[in-house]
Amino acid sequence: MKTALSAMAFASLAMFAPTAAAQEAPAAPAPATEEMAPVSDAELEKWVRAASTMQQIQENAEMPQESKQQAMGQVLVQAEMTPARFNQIAAALQTSESLQTRVNETVARLQAQANG
């Protein structure tokens, strides 16, 4: 986990977000006027951990694509997060500076914990 978090930076998460959105089951985009439910610190930590793990799965050249899809689905189950909510947070990261800051803070906190 230490290497996963130390290798992860916000830029890689931001670049990963559209990939995750494109790979999940198609869903109707939320109307622009619809407010997103607030993201708690606990939910954001789950998102960061899930995004990191999913990125590692995506980068695994030896794993077949079908296996990657199943593995990423399992990551979301373990994170207790629906694909729609994961993608909603990923999309919000594209435009919300406050959410981007919170992700950076969460990554830094997790890195510090991993480094002891």
Side-chain angles (χ1 to χ4, degrees):
M1 188 59 150
K2 179 180 175 182
T3 56
L5 290 174
S6 62
M8 177 177 47
F10 173 72
S12 64
L13 288 176
M15 290 173 22
F16 176 76
T19 303
Q23 292 182 349
E24 296 301 328
T33 58
E34 183 179 313
E35 286 292 317
M36 183 174 105
V39 181
S40 69
D41 290 342
E43 184 179 33
L44 192 60
E45 182 175 326
K46 288 178 183 181
W47 188 91
V48 167
R49 289 180 185 273
S52 174
T53 303
M54 291 170 76
Q55 183 174 10
Q56 290 175 341
I57 291 167
Q58 277 292 80
E59 292 172 353
N60 183 344
E62 296 176 10
M63 183 181 280
Q65 190 61 33
E66 184 176 312
S67 296
K68 288 181 182 184
Q69 292 297 323
Q70 292 173 350
M72 289 191 294
Q74 187 60 37
V75 167
L76 291 179
V77 168
Q78 290 173 347
E80 300 174 343
M81 186 173 290
T82 66
R85 182 61 173 165
F86 180 89
N87 289 335
Q88 188 179 40
I89 294 169
L93 276 169
Q94 303 299 311
T95 58
S96 172
E97 288 185 26
S98 64
L99 191 57
Q100 292 169 7
T101 298
R102 289 179 59 207
V103 164
N104 288 332
E105 291 168 352
T106 300
V107 169
R109 181 175 48 77
L110 292 172
Q111 286 175 334
Q113 288 174 357
N115 292 332

